């Protein structure tokens, strides 16, 4: 561990503070970081504003160069940062590395984007006039992130915000501060190579909700991108809106898969197992509800019970492990309580028993729960590997069930029937931000815009035109004639 901290340049920052960091692998303390003093927040925000005044005038492709260098540094440090994600968040090795790869991918995307912050040219109704749209930087962007993607979520926001001309202030989850320190140290290497970036362009603050709140309430922080529970979003969203700031909310999901009679069940089984038990069910896009046609339900459940029984659960660093620990014991308690509620509503539970993986860690078998109906607990997000299974007869009924939860993040259908597939992604189909066909709901690529509707918060990050959320739009009308005609033919002669 000490070697890892040295390699990542966080040996000093990760020790000696008052905030204890525990590894979910065995509950051992792996670091102590210094929390940010709330009294320091106004100064930090002022530094970001100062950095903004400089950075907004740096040409966007030059800003992209900083992000390009960051991508290079991430490539060089991928193994170490991935290992730290595993140690601090409990992800299996390939998922820890995958998370860093996601950071690299968004850097590549943002570098290209830095030459493509396009606006429109618009036909003017007046002679000798030109209309156009320009996109300008907004100002400091706060990033409040969750424990389960401790580094990727920051980079999705930071890479875009930086090429868009905005400084970034990051408040990571209090459960995963070490990976945040390491990401900032790697970013520091890119900054050193870049040369003339302003002080305070990317800052890190440590602590719980009270530190986040300072960013949420400050009118000097125009963008607040907050990723976490719907509970958190309900507090943060209205506070940012009340000061007319721009919230980007990425909140909880309750993602479903519909398995139709024509589905390729071999593919469906693989997709289900990865998306329901991968990351120990702790992805916002984890599969939580399976809506299966009655004609294939028995066969599919039988195959899943078998697949679940073969899963290797334990130390996420060990070869062959597919299910690591939950983040902490409280999370395991919530899973056990949810299973009790499901049983009370007539659910049949397969798995779901605590496992002695590594002493001190919260290991538990993923659970498959056959439900007679989509009752209360099924409509909630329990952040753990529980997959509720329900049956359906008609596609309309399946889509109605899929949409009948408060959350609207990710969804999918397995079918070989073109009409069903198209119906699912149509306006009358899934109501989610992500709707896939013959692919599970989790593991999105960075090229698409990421986010969801309803209780998921409505924000979009990452690819497509999500960058517009980090810029302000300006409409310009330029009169290059010698006359002053008014729009709509209005006359105002003086
Ligand atoms: P959480 O809501 O407990 O915490 C998330 C972050 O919000 C932390 O940094 C926390 O300190 C901060 N926070 C909490 N209350 C705050 C307040 N009042 N003011 C300011 N900041 C506050 O979430 P978690 O347990 O870390 O993460 C799991 C949740 O995140 C799940 O619900 C999951 O679905 C969601 N998530 C969503 C996405 C997405 O993109 N939609 C991605 C990852 C995780």
């Amino acid at each position: 561990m000490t070697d890892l901290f040295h390699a990542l340049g966080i040996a000093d920052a990760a020790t000696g503070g008052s905030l204890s960091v525990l590894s979910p692998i065995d509950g051992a303390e792996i670091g102590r970081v210094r929390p940010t003093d709330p009294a320091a927040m106004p100064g930090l925000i002022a530094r970001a504003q100062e950095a903004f005044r400089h950075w907004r005038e740096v040409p966007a492709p030059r800003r992209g160069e900083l992000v390009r260098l960051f991508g290079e540094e991430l490539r060089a440090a991928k193994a170490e940062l991935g290992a730290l994600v595993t140690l601090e968040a409990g992800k299996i090795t390939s998922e820890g590395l995958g998370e860093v790869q996601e950071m690299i991918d968004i850097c590549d995307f943002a570098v290209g984007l830095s030459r493509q912050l396009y606006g429109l040219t618009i036909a003017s109704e007046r002679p000798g006039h030109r209309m156009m749209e320009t996109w300008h930087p907004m100002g400091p962007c706060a990033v409040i992130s969750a424990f389960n993607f401790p580094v990727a979520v920051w980079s999705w926001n930071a890479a875009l915000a930086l090429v868009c001309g905005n400084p970034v202030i990051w408040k990571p989850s209090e459960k995963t501060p070490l990976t945040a320190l390491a990401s900032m140290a790697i970013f520091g290497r890119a900054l050193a190579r870049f040369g003339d970036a302003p002080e305070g362009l990317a800052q890190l603050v440590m602590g719980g909700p009270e530190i986040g709140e300072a960013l949420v309430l400050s009118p000097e922080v125009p963008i607040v991108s907050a990723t976490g529970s719907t509970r958190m979003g309900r507090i943060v969203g209205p506070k940012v809106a009340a000061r007319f700031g721009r919230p980007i909310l990425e909140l909880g999901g309750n993602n479903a898969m519909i398995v139709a009679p024509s589905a390729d069940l071999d593919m469906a089984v693989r997709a289900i197992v990865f998306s329901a038990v991968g990351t120990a069910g702790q992805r916002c896009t984890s599969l939580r509800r399976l809506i299966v046609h009655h004609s294939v339900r028995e066969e599919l459940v039988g195959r899943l019970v078998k697949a679940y029984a073969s899963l290797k659960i334990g130390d996420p660093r060990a070869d062959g492990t597919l299910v690591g620990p939950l983040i902490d014991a409280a999370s395991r308690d919530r899973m056990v309580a949810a299973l009790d509620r499901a049983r009370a509503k007539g659910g049949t539970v397969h798995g779901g028993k605590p496992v002695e993986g590594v002493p001190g860690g919260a290991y538990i078998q993923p659970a498959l729960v056959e439900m007679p109906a989509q009752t209360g607990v099924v409509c909630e997000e329990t952040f753990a590997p529980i997959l509720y299974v329900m049956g359906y007869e008609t596609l309309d009924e399946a889509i109605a069930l899929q949409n009948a939860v408060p959350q609207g993040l990710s969804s999918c259908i397995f079918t070989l029937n073109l009409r069903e597939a198209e119906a699912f992604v149509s306006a009358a189909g899934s109501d989610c931000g992500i709707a896939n066909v013959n692919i599970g709901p989790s593991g999105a690529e960075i090229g698409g815009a990421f986010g969801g509707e309803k209780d998921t918060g409505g924000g979009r990050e990452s690819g497509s035109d999500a960058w517009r959320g980090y810029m302000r739009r300006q409409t310009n009308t330029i009169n290059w004639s010698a006359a002053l005609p008014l729009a709509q033919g209005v006359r105002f002669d003086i």
Side-chain angles (χ1 to χ4, degrees):
M1 197 169 74
T2 322
D3 287 352
L4 191 58
F5 287 1
H6 276 291
L8 287 164
I10 58 165
D12 290 338
T15 49
S18 60
L19 193 68
S20 174
V21 190
L22 308 179
S23 171
I25 297 176
D26 55 7
E29 183 173 271
I30 49 172
R32 295 192 74 87
V33 303
R34 288 166 205 85
T36 304
D37 179 356
M41 292 303 290
L44 271 144
I45 293 169
R47 278 179 77 205
Q49 276 289 351
E50 189 54 42
F52 175 55
R53 281 186 276 281
H54 173 102
W55 193 241
R56 68 186 175 188
E57 293 194 68
V58 174
R62 173 78 185 135
R63 300 193 296 245
E65 170 63 6
L66 172 60
V67 175
R68 192 189 69 76
L69 292 171
F70 183 38
E72 277 189 8
E73 294 298 337
L74 283 167
R75 282 178 168 87
K78 181 175 173 182
E80 291 80 11
L81 186 56
L84 190 60
V85 170
T86 292
L87 190 63
E88 194 180 42
K91 294 190 179 194
I92 63 170
T93 301
S94 73
E95 289 193 74
L97 292 169
E99 179 157 354
V100 184
Q101 185 58 46
E102 214 166 309
M103 302 174 83
I104 295 167
D105 292 347
I106 193 68
C107 286
D108 287 355
F109 181 91
V111 174
L113 181 67
S114 70
R115 292 180 185 271
Q116 300 175 75
L117 302 172
Y118 299 139
L120 296 172
T121 309
I122 300 156
S124 170
E125 69 188 48
R126 288 170 281 187
H129 284 57
R130 182 165 68 86
M131 284 176 74
M132 63 182 184
E133 263 178 8
T134 34
W135 291 88
H136 292 303
M138 291 267 294
C141 170
V143 180
I144 297 173
S145 58
F147 79 83
N148 68 320
F149 273 92
V151 288
V153 165
W154 168 70
S155 66
W156 288 3
N157 285 281
L160 294 200
L162 288 169
V163 300
C164 289
N166 306 319
V168 178
I169 306 174
W170 181 15
K171 195 211 83 63
S173 165
E174 49 276 51
K175 294 176 185 167
T176 52
L178 297 179
T179 42
L181 284 168
S183 301
M184 288 298 282
I186 295 165
F187 186 73
R189 295 173 194 165
L191 276 175
R193 285 171 64 196
F194 183 76
D196 60 348
E199 280 277 301
L201 184 60
Q203 302 183 80
L204 180 64
V205 294
M206 293 288 190
E210 69 295 348
I211 295 296
E213 172 118 335
L215 299 168
V216 166
L217 293 178
S218 172
E220 299 296 304
V221 180
I223 310 168
V224 177
S225 173
T227 298
S229 57
T230 296
R231 188 197 59 77
M232 176 276 286
R234 278 195 209 291
I235 300 169
V236 165
K239 286 183 179 169
V240 177
R243 62 173 174 84
F244 300 110
R246 190 180 290 178
I248 301 175
L249 297 177
E250 300 283 351
L251 312 175
N254 190 355
N255 317 295
M257 177 191 294
I258 296 173
V259 182
S262 66
D264 178 332
L265 288 191
D266 290 341
M267 273 172 64
V269 167
R270 285 170 52 207
I272 292 164
V273 176
F274 169 69
S275 50
V277 315
T279 329
Q282 298 172 114
R283 286 189 185 217
C284 51
T285 52
S286 287
L287 179 63
R288 309 203 180 281
R289 296 177 297 134
L290 195 58
I291 302 167
V292 194
H293 193 266
H294 291 304
S295 63
V296 288
R297 180 175 175 169
E298 202 181 315
E299 180 186 350
L300 184 60
V301 169
R303 290 174 69 166
L304 288 172
V305 169
K306 229 167 123 188
Y308 269 48
S310 72
L311 291 169
K312 187 171 168 203
I313 305 164
D315 190 324
R317 295 163 298 190
D319 276 351
T321 299
L322 291 177
V323 183
L326 293 179
I327 190 71
D328 52 25
S331 187
R332 185 171 57 187
D333 293 347
R334 282 193 289 273
M335 174 164 169
V336 170
L339 293 177
D340 286 343
R341 283 174 65 198
R343 277 190 202 94
K345 291 289 179 192
T348 304
V349 178
H350 307 271
K353 299 204 174 62
V355 171
E356 286 313 316
V358 183
Y363 295 85
I364 189 161
Q365 293 170 337
L368 199 64
V369 187
E370 294 185 76
M371 292 299 290
Q374 187 162 277
T375 51
V377 71
V378 182
C379 297
E380 294 169 20
E381 179 196 51
T382 301
F383 214 53
I386 303 177
L387 179 59
Y388 300 105
V389 186
M390 289 149 303
Y392 80 89
E393 198 54 54
T394 66
L395 185 65
D396 283 351
E397 187 194 337
I399 291 175
L401 266 179
Q402 129 73 36
N403 291 345
V405 293
Q407 311 81 358
L409 181 52
S410 191
S411 61
C412 62
I413 187 168
F414 269 71
T415 180
L416 299 181
N417 180 318
L418 182 67
R419 287 183 181 159
E420 288 185 339
E422 290 288 344
F424 184 72
V425 299
S426 76
S430 164
D431 65 358
C432 290
I434 299 170
N436 298 333
V437 177
N438 294 332
I439 299 178
S442 73
E445 298 179 26
I446 59 90
F450 182 90
E453 309 302 339
K454 304 193 295 187
D455 280 10
T456 303
R460 290 296 185 279
E461 290 172 349
S462 198
S464 183
D465 65 351
W467 62 270
R468 292 172 196 243
Y470 301 80
M471 301 197 87
R472 63 186 170 88
R473 182 199 309 251
Q474 189 172 70
T475 304
N476 310 121
T477 308
I478 319 261
N479 177 4
W480 49 275
S481 74
L484 200 62
L486 299 178
Q488 295 90 40
V490 171
R491 306 230 13 208
F492 203 81
D493 300 326
I494 52 171

